[in-house]
């Protein structure tokens, strides 16, 4: 079945309050119109008073002004259509008009949520830290919080609207029952079918690498946990990265190994969505954890006297939580976007549920989804990669200023392991997700995927164990204690 744009509907019809009689609709019209006019005039009064009265030129009233503007735009996006619908039921709206309304509704709805959060933070600072309130809540901070709220609203609205309106819309008779029109209930992985003669060899190699990865990460986490000398921010991030890499391989490799020995079973849509969700979450989490580790090295070398103050437990926990939150958020949006598509094909040209191979199974044109996927991939790969390399430019410039050769060597030695992992990790991710789509290069794409799903997770424990003197010393101390015991 060729992929095509199956959108048969050119406009939508609002049912609105059609189930109410005209007397009730007329009453609703008067009530809603009155409330709408009161909302507009009330917000206009608030904005005018705050602007005219200099005593109200404070962060709290700045946020209130932003909230009033946002609330006004929010109601303008929705309410005018509603009263007109009360007088004239079953009004139509074009797909473009519906998409525009949904976009502004989401943008200002989400913006309002985060503005209220900013106002809560403002009240917290005013009451809990009054002496530093003016310094903390300066004009720059207030503008950043307001801009951040609007930026989040715009980003989420763009993703969700393009996701929704990338779907096909069909017009069904009223007598038809609503049903799931996705014909495919499960997928089959093609895996390494083109390497049929070498499957056993690949199984042995991948199983060996997988066991080495698991054991290596377990050793790292154990050594860091039991040796108090390694209870520093750098090794805290390394522990979290090792845990994340272990979970990352557990999501993908076992099913890949079973497919190589002919034990692979079909995977349900729910199972595929689950695998994709955890794969995206952990992959993005790893990218931002490496960024956090780069920032840690930057502070350690460029600002050593304040290192322990800046990189305290709270900051480290916040960086890890932020990395994980970004992964979960992006995974939720991308997975839900992909699995809203109707699927007409079952065979996934891959060995796990990656985004591109699954989208190729859709019955509809996925150009919009491909663009969104590329933009998201660019952000979650390029942004942290650029931040890491900026950190290392600053680090190298600081190292070069160190007078003694021994000091330069020691400073650079603390960064070599992390820099090696960063180059390989981001290199593989960039090749896999930022290169143009390839229709006839499935084997090459799979080999690239093997690099970042099998080899890269192994690189982390190998590099940090063999090239890191502190970890090797801790391992020797742990083995020595065990032999003495």
């Amino acid at each position: 079945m060729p992929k095509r744009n199956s959108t048969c509907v050119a406009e939508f019809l609002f049912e609105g309050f059609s189930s109410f009689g005209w007397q009730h609709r007329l009453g609703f019209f008067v009530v809603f119109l009155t409330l709408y006019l009161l909302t507009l005039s009330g917000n206009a009064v608030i904005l005018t008073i705050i602007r005219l009265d200099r005593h109200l030129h404070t962060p709290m009233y700045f946020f209130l002004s932003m909230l009033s503007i946002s609330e006004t735009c929010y109601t303008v996006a929705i309410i005018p259509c509603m009263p007109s619908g009360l007088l004239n039921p079953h009004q139509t709206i074009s797909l473009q008009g519906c998409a525009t309304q949904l976009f502004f509704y989401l943008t200002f709805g989400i913006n309002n949520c985060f503005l209220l959060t900013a106002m809560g933070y403002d009240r917290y600072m005013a009451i809990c830290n009054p002496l530093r309130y003016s310094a903390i809540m300066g004009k720059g901070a207030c503008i950043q919080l307001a801009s951040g709220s609007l930026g989040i609203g715009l980003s989420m609205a763009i993703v969700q609207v393009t996701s929704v309106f990338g779907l096909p819309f069909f017009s069904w008779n009223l007598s038809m029952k609503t049903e799931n029109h996705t014909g495919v209930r499960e997928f089959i992985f093609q895996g390494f079918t083109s390497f049929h003669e070498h499957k056993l060899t690949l199984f042995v190699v991948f199983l060996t690498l997988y066991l080495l990865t698991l054991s290596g990460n377990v050793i790292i986490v154990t050594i860091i946990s039991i040796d108090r000398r390694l209870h520093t921010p750098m090794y805290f991030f390394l522990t979290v990265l090792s845990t994340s890499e272990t979970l990352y391989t557990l999501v993908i490799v076992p099913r890949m190994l079973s497919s190589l020995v002919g034990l692979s079973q079909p995977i349900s849509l729910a199972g595929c969505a689950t695998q994709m969700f955890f794969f995206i979450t952990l992959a993005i989490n790893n990218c931002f954890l490496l960024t956090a580790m780069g920032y840690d090295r930057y502070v350690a070398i460029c600002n050593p006297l304040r290192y322990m103050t800046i990189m305290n437990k709270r900051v480290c926990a916040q960086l890890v939580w932020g990395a994980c939150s970004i992964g979960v958020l992006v995974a939720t949006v991308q997975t839900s976007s992909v699995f809203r598509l109707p699927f007409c094909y079952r065979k996934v040209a891959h060995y796990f549920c990656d985004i591109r191979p699954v989208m190729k199974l859709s019955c509809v044109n996925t150009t919009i989804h491909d663009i969104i996927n590329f933009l998201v991939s660019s952000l979650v790969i390029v942004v942290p990669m650029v931040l890491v390399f900026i950190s290392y430019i600053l680090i190298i410039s600081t190292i070069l200023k160190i007078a003694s050769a021994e000091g330069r060597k020691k400073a650079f030695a603390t960064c070599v392991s992390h820099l090696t992992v960063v180059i390989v990790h981001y290199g593989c991710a960039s090749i896999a997700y930022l290169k143009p789509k390839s229709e006839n290069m499935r084997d090459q794409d799979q080999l690239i995927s093997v690099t970042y799903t099998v080899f890269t997770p192994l690189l982390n424990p190998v590099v940090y164990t063999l090239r890191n003197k502190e970890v090797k010393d801790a391992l020797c101390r742990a083995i020595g204690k065990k032999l003495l015991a």
Side-chain angles (χ1 to χ4, degrees):
M1 183 176 177
K3 294 186 180 180
R4 57 189 177 88
N5 190 342
S6 304
T7 301
C8 302
V9 175
E11 60 184 15
F12 294 137
L13 185 70
F14 288 124
E15 290 189 3
F17 297 89
S18 57
S19 58
F20 292 91
W22 70 269
Q23 301 94 335
H24 295 101
R25 292 204 303 273
L26 186 60
F28 285 149
F29 174 80
V30 173
V31 172
F32 293 157
L33 181 61
T34 303
L35 292 173
Y36 179 53
L37 294 175
L38 287 172
T39 300
L40 293 181
S41 57
N43 283 322
V45 168
I46 287 175
L47 288 169
T48 305
I49 291 173
I50 291 173
R51 183 164 183 82
L52 294 177
D53 194 330
R54 289 189 174 276
H55 293 95
L56 301 181
H57 292 183
T58 63
M60 182 176 93
Y61 291 105
F62 168 75
F63 289 124
L64 181 57
S65 300
M66 294 296 103
L67 184 64
S68 295
I69 294 170
S70 184
E71 288 283 11
T72 301
C73 296
Y74 178 76
T75 53
V76 167
I78 301 170
I79 304 298
C81 289
M82 187 176 72
S84 61
L86 287 166
L87 299 178
N88 183 20
H90 302 294
Q91 278 194 329
T92 59
I93 185 171
S94 67
L95 260 67
Q96 293 84 355
C98 186
T100 304
Q101 186 185 58
L102 181 59
F103 172 78
F104 285 110
Y105 160 71
L106 289 172
T107 297
F108 293 111
I110 295 169
N111 183 45
N112 292 344
C113 291
F114 282 94
L115 279 175
L116 289 169
T117 305
M119 293 174 77
Y121 176 70
D122 171 75
R123 291 300 81 205
Y124 160 74
M125 295 307 304
I127 295 170
C128 299
N129 205 345
L131 298 178
R132 296 184 61 214
Y133 174 68
S134 298
I136 295 172
M137 298 302 295
K139 284 186 179 180
C142 293
I143 292 171
Q144 285 175 353
L145 287 169
S147 301
S149 299
L150 183 60
I152 293 170
L154 285 169
S155 301
M156 295 300 293
I158 290 169
V159 170
Q160 289 192 287
V161 171
T162 50
S163 172
V164 169
F165 283 87
L167 296 172
F169 297 106
F170 299 95
S171 179
W172 307 102
N173 294 328
L174 294 176
S175 59
M176 292 178 66
K177 294 183 179 179
T178 302
E179 56 178 327
N180 185 355
H181 293 276
T182 300
V184 175
R185 302 291 181 185
E186 60 185 19
F187 294 138
I188 298 172
F189 293 123
Q190 289 186 357
F192 299 90
T193 50
S194 57
F195 297 92
H196 182 72
E197 297 177 358
H198 308 287
K199 279 188 174 182
L200 186 58
T201 305
L202 290 175
F203 174 80
V204 173
V205 172
F206 292 159
L207 178 61
T208 304
L209 294 173
Y210 180 52
L211 294 176
L212 287 172
T213 301
L214 292 181
S215 57
N217 282 321
V218 168
I219 289 170
I220 282 181
V221 173
T222 305
I223 290 298
I224 293 172
S225 300
I226 62 177
D227 195 318
R228 291 189 174 275
R229 299 182 192 184
L230 300 182
H231 290 184
T232 62
M234 174 181 161
Y235 292 105
F236 168 73
F237 290 126
L238 180 56
T239 301
V240 178
L241 181 64
S242 294
T243 305
S244 182
E245 290 280 17
T246 301
L247 296 174
Y248 176 77
T249 54
L250 285 171
V251 169
I252 300 169
V253 179
R255 183 173 279 273
M256 180 186 74
L257 293 172
S258 64
S259 69
L260 285 169
V261 291
L263 300 176
S264 180
Q265 298 293 322
I267 186 170
S268 66
L269 261 66
C272 187
T274 303
Q275 186 186 54
M276 184 183 292
F277 172 81
F278 283 108
F279 161 69
I280 296 171
T281 299
L282 295 167
I284 294 172
N285 182 47
N286 294 343
C287 285
F288 282 93
L289 280 175
L290 288 170
T291 307
M293 293 173 77
Y295 175 68
D296 170 76
R297 291 299 82 206
Y298 159 74
V299 176
I301 292 172
C302 300
N303 206 344
L305 298 178
R306 296 185 60 214
Y307 176 65
M308 294 310 297
T309 304
I310 296 172
M311 297 302 296
N312 55 53
K313 287 184 178 180
R314 182 181 175 185
V315 170
C316 293
Q318 287 175 342
L319 288 170
V320 169
W321 177 251
C324 187
S325 299
I326 293 170
V328 170
L329 177 63
V330 174
T332 302
V333 172
Q334 286 197 292
T335 305
S336 59
S337 172
V338 170
F339 283 88
R340 283 178 183 174
L341 296 170
F343 297 107
C344 294
Y345 308 95
R346 297 180 64 205
K347 291 186 177 180
V348 181
H350 214 342
Y351 57 87
F352 71 97
C353 288
D354 202 354
I355 298 172
R356 278 185 181 176
V358 172
M359 281 201 300
K360 287 180 181 179
L361 307 181
S362 174
C363 312
V364 298
N365 191 312
T366 60
T367 303
I368 293 176
H369 291 79
D370 289 332
I371 294 170
I372 294 171
N373 178 47
F374 179 78
L375 291 174
V376 172
S377 299
S378 299
L379 286 173
V380 299
I381 294 172
V382 174
V383 171
M385 182 169 61
V386 168
L387 290 174
V388 170
F389 286 126
I390 289 173
S391 297
Y392 272 99
I393 290 170
L394 297 172
I395 287 169
I396 291 169
S397 64
T398 303
I399 291 174
L400 293 176
K401 293 175 184 177
I402 297 173
S404 67
E406 186 64 28
R408 289 196 297 270
K409 183 179 178 182
K410 185 177 179 181
F412 192 72
T414 63
C415 304
V416 171
S417 300
H418 177 251
L419 190 57
T420 304
V421 174
V422 163
I423 291 170
V424 175
H425 185 93
Y426 286 123
C428 293
S430 300
I431 293 170
Y433 292 100
L434 302 185
K435 68 180 181 66
K437 288 196 300 181
S438 54
E439 296 294 335
N440 301 313
M441 300 175 69
R442 183 169 69 88
D443 293 343
Q444 181 182 330
D445 291 343
Q446 283 193 344
L447 290 175
I448 294 169
S449 299
V450 166
T451 304
Y452 66 79
T453 56
V454 179
F455 288 95
T456 304
L458 176 61
L459 185 70
N460 179 43
V462 168
V463 169
Y464 277 102
T465 303
L466 298 180
R467 293 190 60 88
N468 191 297
K469 187 176 184 301
E470 289 180 321
V471 174
K472 286 192 288 186
D473 291 344
L475 185 59
C476 291
R477 286 195 296 270
I479 294 172
K481 285 180 181 178
K482 189 172 182 180
L483 291 174
L484 291 172

